[in-house]
């Protein structure tokens, strides 16, 4: 599950960083331009909804420091996955072997031999677990650090984009006048229908 989560974060980041078109639009805020400049894969499942990521990755295009930070984070996730994949493969191979060995002992008909083989498998498995205990602890720490990195980066992106949504809201103030006018229009039509015989 963690692997899928980190892979999706990496894919999202890589996709956004590879989009390097120049911004020729003169709009006052990032959000009004985000829809046309952000790749379709960054849009919400509900359509053209603007998201934290769509705004943030628009900001990246205009800020070398943010681009460098994003690249550093993406590279770290990629390196983490490559490194852990090697260790996971070796550990999973051993786990798979011991599970199969335990399963296969069920076919041994001599109960004394079966018990002896079970003890040998368990002893070997326990010995291996002791050998790799420090490795597993370090892998857990790497995963925990990756989760913390993801959390902190998400918080950073939200804080960076909050001013942009506020600029958008300021540029598009909502007035009740046109709604009141429309309600009056509806009410007149409703009255007209009520009076029809």
């Amino acid at each position: 599950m963690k692997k899928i989560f980190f892979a999706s974060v990496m894919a999202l980041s890589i996709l956004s960083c590879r989009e390097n078109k120049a911004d020729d639009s003169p709009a006052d805020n990032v959000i009004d331009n985000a829809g046309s400049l952000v790749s379709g894969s960054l849009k919400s499942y509900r359509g053209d909804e603007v998201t934290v990521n769509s705004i943030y990755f628009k900001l990246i295009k205009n800020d070398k420091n943010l681009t460098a930070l994003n690249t550093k984070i993406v590279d770290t996730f990629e390196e983490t996955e490559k490194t852990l994949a090697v260790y996971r493969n070796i550990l999973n191979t051993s786990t798979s072997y011991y599970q199969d060995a335990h399963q296969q002992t069920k076919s041994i008909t001599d109960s004394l031999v079966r018990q002896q083989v079970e003890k040998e498998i368990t002893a070997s498995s326990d010995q291996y677990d002791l050998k790799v205990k420090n490795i597993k602890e370090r892998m857990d720490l790497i995963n925990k650090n990756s989760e913390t990195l993801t959390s902190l980066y998400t918080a950073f992106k939200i804080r960076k984009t909050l001013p942009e949504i506020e600029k958008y809201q300021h540029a598009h103030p909502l007035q009740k006048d046109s709604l009141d006018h429309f309600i009056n229009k509806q009410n007149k039509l409703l009255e007209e229908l009520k009076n029809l015989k």
Side-chain angles (χ1 to χ4, degrees):
M1 193 63 152
K2 289 177 186 173
K3 192 173 183 181
I4 294 168
F5 173 71
F6 292 129
S8 63
V9 169
M10 285 190 305
L12 184 62
S13 298
I14 292 167
L15 178 65
S16 64
C17 290
R18 290 186 180 158
E19 182 81 28
N20 289 323
K21 296 175 188 170
D23 182 4
D24 297 328
S25 177
D28 295 354
N29 60 71
V30 169
I31 297 172
D32 282 328
N33 290 323
S36 61
L37 293 169
V38 175
S39 170
S41 63
L42 297 178
K43 292 179 183 174
S44 161
Y45 65 91
R46 287 177 262 183
D48 292 337
E49 183 177 336
V50 174
T51 63
V52 170
N53 282 335
S54 69
I55 299 169
Y56 182 74
F57 291 123
K58 173 63 177 78
L59 289 173
I60 277 183
K61 293 178 184 183
N62 303 320
D63 189 321
K64 289 180 182 178
N65 292 331
L66 289 180
T67 301
L69 174 66
N70 192 70
T71 301
K72 200 183 297 183
I73 289 170
V74 169
D75 290 348
T76 300
F77 281 131
E78 287 177 347
E79 190 178 348
T80 298
E81 278 310 304
K82 285 177 186 173
T83 302
L84 289 181
V86 172
Y87 284 84
R88 277 192 210 110
N89 186 46
I90 294 168
L91 291 171
N92 289 343
T93 298
S94 297
T95 300
S96 178
Y97 170 80
Y98 288 124
Q99 287 173 348
D100 184 57
H102 279 297
Q103 186 64 30
Q104 294 228 13
T105 57
K106 293 177 182 176
S107 66
I108 299 172
T109 55
D110 186 317
S111 62
L112 290 176
V113 173
R114 184 171 62 246
Q115 287 173 5
Q116 184 58 41
V117 171
E118 279 284 358
K119 285 180 185 175
E120 290 170 18
I121 294 167
T122 301
S124 175
S125 177
D126 290 346
Q127 187 179 2
Y128 186 70
D129 284 343
L130 282 174
K131 275 185 191 175
V132 298
K133 185 174 182 275
N134 290 334
I135 298 294
K136 287 182 176 179
E137 286 172 358
R138 282 162 175 77
M139 290 174 70
D140 288 342
L141 181 57
I142 288 170
N143 280 323
K144 186 177 177 183
N145 286 344
S146 290
E147 287 175 11
T148 303
L149 179 62
T150 301
S151 296
L152 290 176
Y153 194 38
T154 299
F156 174 77
K157 288 189 289 186
I158 290 169
R159 288 180 178 134
K160 204 74 177 157
T161 55
L162 278 172
E164 296 303 326
I165 193 66
E166 289 167 4
K167 283 183 201 172
Y168 173 81
Q169 292 163 352
H170 183 70
H172 299 277
L174 296 173
Q175 304 294 333
K176 66 182 183 75
D177 296 346
S178 60
L179 295 176
D180 288 341
H181 175 73
F182 189 70
I183 290 168
N184 288 336
K185 189 175 178 181
Q186 284 180 317
N187 287 337
K188 284 178 185 175
L189 183 56
L190 288 168
E191 282 302 317
E192 187 180 329
L193 286 170
K194 283 177 190 175
N195 292 327
L196 287 176
K197 293 181 181 178

